[in-house]
Amino acid sequence: MLLLTFGSLPAAQADTPADLPETGTVEQGSGQHESARQTIESDPAHGETTAQAEKSDLQAAEAAEAAEAAEAAEAAEAAKIIADYQSAIDRREALAGPFDPELSELTFALGKTLQRQNRLKEAIQAFRHAMYVNRVNNGVYSLSQEPMLRGIINTHIQLGLISEAAEAYQKLLWLHRKTYGTDDPRILPLLDEIGQWHLRAYNARGHRDDIYHLNVAHGVYNRALAITAQQHGEDHRSMTGLLYNSAMTDYYLDRHQKKYANSWENTDLLSERFQQARWVADDPFLSKNYFQNGRRANARMIDILEQDPSASAADKATGYIKTGDWFMLFNLTGPAIDNYQKAYRVLQQTNDTALIAALLGEPKMLPRPIDSAIMETESVLTAQTTSTERSSEQQETPMPDITEIVTSPSIPAAYVMLAVNISEKGQPRKITTLSVSPEGGDGLERRARKTIIDTKFRPRFDNGQPVPTEALPVKVLIQ
């Protein structure tokens, strides 16, 4: 990938000589410049170029005006819809009373509209009102409240109120348990969703008090594994994803313990939060050897995949790769490369070169304990890779690096474009800054380079062997 930057010409190369008097008059001897100017202006090609430039500027201005008009029309339409909902709610309440079931539906729809218009605090009030009316009509334990609770969760996340979102998730889990029971397999999808969300929420900050997120994730995965084993058996394929997420939780716990040795002791806030999630963790943190716990979870995942005759080569290879990634996060390059090579040998049997290239054909960034920035790798051969354009392997990975909804309503504008050399051991080596936006941003380049230095990579493989990669494009989005 070649990036060319074109700036303004230096004064010595500009059309007008740099030594003209400040009055702008032309001394004798510069007639040739005037003659050249007249020649250029009389050239039809010059006139055509000027006309094209003027036309382009006009089209850009018209497009901007059209965009502004469309945005204003959309805002006016949204305001009208909101006003119509509010009028309908007032009329229905006057006609049928404050607890009419239809009010719950109308108020929920109002909340969704307010949320889309970024009127988030009003949206939360609408969702809560809708849930209150719903509970009056359908009962405290009715699952018909779930859409309202999810609206509250998502809106809290958009506002950056992660603790409030976590509390709403706990209420949603409580609702499912009351409806189905503590050990019913129907709560498994929600347990996994909550576990993944808490890992992403921790990954977004990783502060001392964020140990709460890891406590909840630790508990829900223990519970989910117990329910799955009871329902399907210890060796069922449905255990594999839960085992990997459990191992990732152990990785984050290990890193947190090393950084904050006493993070779960004598903290009133944590004690209060632990009580909310106590049911999911009967023995939280009794054993603090998280590395061994995670290693056993990965070994169980691999054993299940190897023994399952219905597991495809891609399934087994993905299990080896995930295990390799996990070892790489602990800087255990030997076991990591060994698992990657096992995956390569399994994939070779399929003769699926596209799958091999997707999984092992280019370096992959691995999850980090703390995200100081959001990163995207960009393919040299294709268009820029966005957070939604992932390879098949990345889509299956339960623990993404970060999601923008955890940290902010939108991706920040500031970014640094880097070219990074990755060694055959997955270590970032030479880091070259290609561009910084906005230019001159205070500390952006330093933060971006620090982020890359602290990042682990899965190396690229060629013919079954790890090989170095030069100038991997990495875009670091700075929060």
Side-chain angles (χ1 to χ4, degrees), residues 225-241 243 296-297 299-311:
L225 285 166
I227 294 172
T228 303
Q230 182 179 4
Q231 184 73 16
H232 301 292
E234 295 281 349
D235 299 325
H236 195 266
R237 275 256 312 270
S238 58
M239 296 278 285
T240 57
L243 284 166
R296 283 192 291 268
R300 282 185 65 193
M301 176 182 68
I302 294 297
D303 186 60
I304 290 171
L305 290 170
E306 288 180 340
Q307 300 302 319
D308 187 349
S310 67

Side-chain angles (χ1 to χ4, degrees), residues 92-111:
R92 190 66 192 176
E93 191 172 69
L95 178 66
F99 304 119
D100 181 70
E102 189 174 328
L103 282 173
S104 180
E105 298 177 12
L106 287 170
T107 312
F108 175 72
L110 172 62

Side-chain angles (χ1 to χ4, degrees), residues 435-446:
S435 62
V436 179
S437 179
E439 293 183 6
D442 185 26
L444 294 182
E445 182 178 357
R446 177 186 56 79

Side-chain angles (χ1 to χ4, degrees), residues 206-226:
H207 294 172
R208 175 184 292 272
D209 287 347
D210 291 327
I211 183 67
Y212 162 68
H213 292 298
L214 300 182
N215 171 253
V216 176
H218 177 271
V220 297
Y221 283 122
N222 279 350
R223 179 66 67 179
L225 285 166

Side-chain angles (χ1 to χ4, degrees), residues 366-393:
L366 304 182
R368 287 151 291 136
I370 300 173
D371 272 278
S372 58
I374 305 172
M375 291 192 297
E376 300 172 348
T377 51
E378 297 183 350
S379 172
V380 176
L381 301 178
T382 62
Q384 292 187 352
T385 301
T386 67
S387 58
T388 57
E389 295 171 347
R390 305 286 185 179
S391 69
S392 58
E393 182 269 336

Side-chain angles (χ1 to χ4, degrees), residues 306-328:
E306 288 180 340
Q307 300 302 319
D308 187 349
S310 67
S312 66
D315 293 331
K316 295 176 182 178
T318 301
Y320 285 126
I321 288 172
K322 289 178 178 178
T323 301
D325 290 346
W326 189 86
F327 277 115
M328 190 67 79

